[in-house]
Amino acid sequence: MNTYTIALATRLKRKVFRAKNIPRDVIRLTRIYLENEGKELLDYKFYDYGFVVCIKCKNNEQPEKVAAGIRKETS
């Protein structure tokens, strides 16, 4: 298995992650997506511009596709 660290930023660089419910919802949706895809969320951190996730994937997974899936599920 490979471990990836992926940074995801908001499109408009708004400070949307200061709201208390948004980070909770983003992580919930991210966890659901990763579990359905057979991946494991190891750690995460929120910043004003977005969030960073550390995940464990199968050896043949491309981090770009994983990031695109997370963006789609959390948008």
Side-chain angles (χ1 to χ4, degrees), residues 29-44:
L29 293 170
T30 300
R31 281 186 199 275
I32 290 169
Y33 168 73
L34 293 174
E35 287 175 4
N36 289 340
E37 295 292 316
K39 298 165 184 60
E40 180 183 353
L41 178 65
L42 300 175
D43 197 15
Y44 62 89

Side-chain angles (χ1 to χ4, degrees), residues 16-31:
V16 297
F17 292 117
R18 288 189 180 173
K20 292 181 182 182
N21 64 322
I22 292 174
R24 184 180 59 231
D25 292 342
V26 167
I27 288 302
R28 181 180 57 80
L29 293 170
T30 300
R31 281 186 199 275

Side-chain angles (χ1 to χ4, degrees), residues 1-2 4 33 37-39 55-66:
M1 297 195 99
N2 289 334
Y4 299 121
Y33 168 73
E37 295 292 316
K39 298 165 184 60
I55 60 172
K56 189 181 280 190
C57 298
K58 297 176 184 174
N59 289 335
N60 58 354
E61 292 288 333
Q62 296 178 352
E64 297 86 4
K65 289 185 179 180
V66 176

